[in-house]
């Protein structure tokens, strides 16, 4: 048992995981990747059991010639990166939260700042081992319905035990990061659309100032980055040796601190350079700006925050405009509002990404009328053919799920065949009748 209100089981082997699944009670079980940091209810199971999979955290095989890794699903992406970077490889579609496990990233079909070119995590998975409700372990490949239901399926098809992933070649653990200011949402969308997906601009994301209104609505600081080649680091190191008082470009600690992400969006915009071609940033500093800081009550008050994430397709830019205006008109205090351009969607039936635009923002729970306000945004997203992200959701209505996710009925039917007793369940699955 832990401090949770439900039993937390920590299997150390596949056999122990199978025993736990067979023994779970009427309220079933759901797997999660370690201590509960989820802002939604996908990894919660009131009255049932939770499987903490972090005891299964081994790397079984690394093919450094082909760029393939076979690992347990309980290993964290941060730890996996630490092991792979010295070999010249990285997991593609690296999401923003480094405490996420491999299984969690696949179960939520997460993506990083490179979705426009790399897609989500599931596009790089070669094979899975999945523990299903009958206690058996199945080999699952991307050309199957079970894979399509599992990628983004939030643990409701079974427990991911291992994953084989095709990796991204990199020369260093550093990125060359350029920044620029966009004066409004139209300007920002044009700049993001012009971002290439080559080595110099693999990643792109914009921090929107939600306090701006009028012509400045949607103004943002746009960040674009690419992996730094070894020769560029060698030049930087040589300059540092010639100028010993200069900042050390090759320090092991991230060269920028996480507190930078807590600066109010308006100040961040006004203090950002109009354009800067590129600074050296460690991968962890660029990709995980919030992981070392507990935002909780510090930024959003005693009740904390709600993370609202959604995607709308190309051709629905006016809907995106309306939503940003609605948030800005409420003067919602948000230390984080990030817009990205999305590429091709993944195979997952419940994967959120669609070719178009992705906006993620944090709002204080104490905001007056928040529930009704978010319901209105849900309806706006659904009317535009978009999708609210399920991985961090805790309040979407079931009728809107069906409108947003055309394959939801197929997902329910597969679940009924694969798990007729409802062994795998969660607070989210009960709320959305999945």
């Amino acid at each position: 048992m832990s401090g949770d209100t439900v039993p937390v089981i920590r299997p150390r082997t596949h056999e122990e995981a199978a025993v736990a699944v067979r023994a779970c009670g009427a309220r079933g079980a759901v797997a999660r990747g370690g201590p509960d940091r989820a802002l939604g209810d996908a990894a919660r199971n009131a009255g049932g059991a939770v499987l903490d999979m972090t005891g299964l955290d081994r790397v079984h095989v690394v093919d450094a010639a082909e760029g393939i890794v076979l690992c347990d699903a309980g290993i964290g992406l941060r730890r996996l990166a630490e092991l792979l970077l010295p070999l010249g490889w990285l997991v593609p579609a690296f999401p923003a939260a480094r405490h996420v496990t491999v299984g969690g990233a696949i179960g939520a079909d997460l993506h990083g700042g490179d979705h426009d070119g790399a897609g989500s995590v599931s596009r790089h998975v070669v094979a899975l081992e999945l523990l299903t409700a009958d206690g058996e372990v199945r080999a699952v490949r991307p050309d199957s319905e079970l894979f399509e239901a599992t990628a983004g399926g939030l643990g409701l098809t079974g427990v991911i035990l291992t994953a084989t992933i095709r990796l991204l070649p990199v020369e260093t653990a550093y990125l060359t990061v350029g920044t620029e200011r966009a004066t409004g949402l139209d300007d920002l969308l044009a700049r993001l659309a012009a971002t290439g997906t080559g080595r110099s601009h693999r990643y792109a994301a914009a921090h929107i100032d939600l306090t701006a209104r009028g012509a400045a609505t949607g103004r943002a600081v746009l960040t674009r980055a690419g992996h730094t080649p070894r020769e560029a680091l060698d030049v930087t190191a040589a300059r540092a040796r010639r100028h010993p008082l200069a900042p050390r470009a090759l320090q092991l600690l991230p060269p920028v601190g996480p507190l930078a992400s807590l600066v109010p969006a308006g100040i961040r915009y006004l203090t950002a350079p109009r354009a800067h071609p590129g600074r050296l940033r460690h991968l962890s500093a660029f990709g995980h700006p919030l992981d070392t800081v507990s935002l909780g009550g510090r930024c959003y008050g005693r009740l904390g925050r709600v993370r609202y994430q959604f995607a709308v397709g190309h051709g629905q830019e006016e809907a995106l405009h309306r939503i940003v205006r609605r948030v800005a008109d409420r003067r919602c205090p948000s230390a984080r509002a990030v817009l990205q351009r999305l590429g091709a969607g993944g195979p997952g039936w419940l994967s959120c990404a669609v070719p178009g635009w992705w906006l993620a923002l944090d709002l204080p729970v104490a905001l007056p009328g928040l529930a009704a306000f978010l319901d209105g945004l849900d309806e706006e997203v659904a009317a535009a053919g978009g999708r609210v992200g399920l991985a961090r959701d805790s309040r979407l209505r079931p009728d809107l799920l069906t409108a947003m996710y055309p394959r939801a009925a197929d997902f329910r039917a597969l679940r009924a065949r694969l798990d007729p007793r409802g062994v795998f369940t969660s607070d989210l699955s009960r709320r959305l009748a999945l």
Side-chain angles (χ1 to χ4, degrees):
M1 296 286 289
S2 76
D4 297 79
T5 59
V6 299
V8 177
I9 304 165
R10 296 180 174 86
R12 297 287 178 178
T13 65
H14 293 184
E15 292 75 18
E16 288 182 9
V19 168
V21 167
R22 293 190 185 103
C24 70
R27 296 285 285 183
V30 68
R32 77 180 186 200
D36 187 8
R37 303 189 187 195
L39 295 176
D41 54 7
R44 298 177 183 175
N45 185 25
V50 170
L51 275 63
D52 179 334
M53 299 302 294
T54 52
L56 291 165
D57 61 352
R58 294 168 296 172
V59 174
H60 298 279
V61 177
V62 177
D63 186 335
E66 295 296 325
I68 299 286
V69 63
L70 167 60
C71 61
D72 285 340
I75 189 170
L77 289 175
R78 177 185 181 182
R79 176 60 181 153
L80 190 57
E82 290 172 348
L83 296 172
L84 293 174
L85 280 170
L87 303 176
W89 298 99
L90 184 67
V91 176
F94 207 71
R98 61 183 167 189
H99 60 263
V100 172
T101 60
V102 167
I106 297 169
D109 202 18
L110 298 182
H111 65 269
D114 56 348
H115 190 280
D116 197 14
S120 55
V121 170
S122 65
R123 291 172 63 91
H124 306 277
V125 175
V126 177
L128 297 173
E129 285 185 299
L130 185 72
L131 174 63
T132 50
D134 54 9
E136 300 299 318
V137 178
R138 305 190 186 201
V140 182
R141 297 197 174 273
D143 56 355
S144 67
E145 281 193 336
L146 186 51
F147 183 91
E148 292 169 354
T150 300
L154 302 171
L156 297 177
T157 61
V159 179
I160 300 173
L161 298 174
T162 69
T164 304
I165 304 171
R166 190 172 300 280
L167 303 171
L168 170 72
V170 296
E171 295 183 32
T172 72
Y174 285 81
L175 299 170
T176 302
V177 182
T179 58
E180 58 195 82
R181 287 194 286 183
T183 57
L185 189 56
D186 283 331
D187 183 29
L188 175 60
L189 296 180
R191 290 170 186 264
L192 281 168
T195 299
T197 58
R199 188 165 90 169
S200 61
H201 282 164
R202 183 178 182 89
Y203 307 94
H207 289 266
I208 297 179
D209 174 13
L210 290 177
T211 65
R213 297 194 295 175
T217 299
R219 71 181 185 181
V221 178
L222 173 60
T223 302
R224 293 188 268 211
H227 288 280
T228 306
R230 184 172 298 278
E231 61 266 21
L233 276 190
D234 292 340
V235 170
T236 304
R239 289 174 179 168
R241 285 194 295 270
R242 289 197 302 270
H243 304 282
L245 297 180
R248 296 181 180 179
L250 300 181
Q251 59 187 345
L252 294 179
L253 292 175
V256 292
L259 289 174
S261 295
L262 305 184
V263 175
I267 297 176
R268 184 189 300 134
Y269 176 84
L270 293 174
T271 57
R274 293 186 182 276
H276 192 286
R279 293 187 175 93
L280 208 60
R281 294 287 185 264
H282 193 278
L283 178 67
S284 63
F286 176 80
H288 315 297
L290 300 181
D291 276 354
T292 56
V293 176
S294 175
L295 292 180
R298 248 183 278 185
C299 292
Y300 296 97
R302 181 177 55 85
L303 297 179
R305 57 178 168 150
V306 170
R307 178 158 297 169
Y308 189 76
Q309 301 178 322
F310 69 91
V312 293
H314 292 303
Q316 294 297 329
E317 286 76 12
E318 184 51 42
L320 184 61
H321 271 275
R322 287 195 299 270
I323 292 171
V324 171
R325 283 198 300 268
R326 288 177 69 170
V327 178
D329 287 344
R330 285 293 303 268
R331 293 196 176 276
C332 300
S334 178
R336 184 176 187 272
V338 178
L339 181 71
Q340 294 175 247
R341 190 170 190 259
L342 299 179
W349 292 347
L350 298 184
S351 296
C352 180
V354 296
W357 308 100
W358 169 264
L359 181 60
L361 55 127
D362 292 342
L363 299 172
V365 173
L367 189 72
L370 179 63
F373 178 65
L374 291 180
D375 282 345
L377 296 188
D378 290 343
E379 292 167 2
E380 186 91 54
V381 171
R387 301 175 181 181
V388 168
L390 300 179
R392 293 185 173 94
D393 173 62
S394 60
R395 30 147 313 277
L396 184 68
R397 301 199 312 262
D399 60 308
L400 290 179
L401 174 81
T402 303
M404 293 176 181
Y405 289 89
R407 302 298 300 271
D410 295 326
F411 184 84
R412 292 185 177 107
L414 183 143
R415 282 249 299 154
R417 297 194 307 270
L418 188 68
D419 184 7
R421 295 189 298 117
V423 170
F424 295 111
T425 188
S426 65
D427 291 351
L428 178 141
S429 71
R430 283 186 282 266
R431 174 171 54 86
L432 295 177
L434 283 171

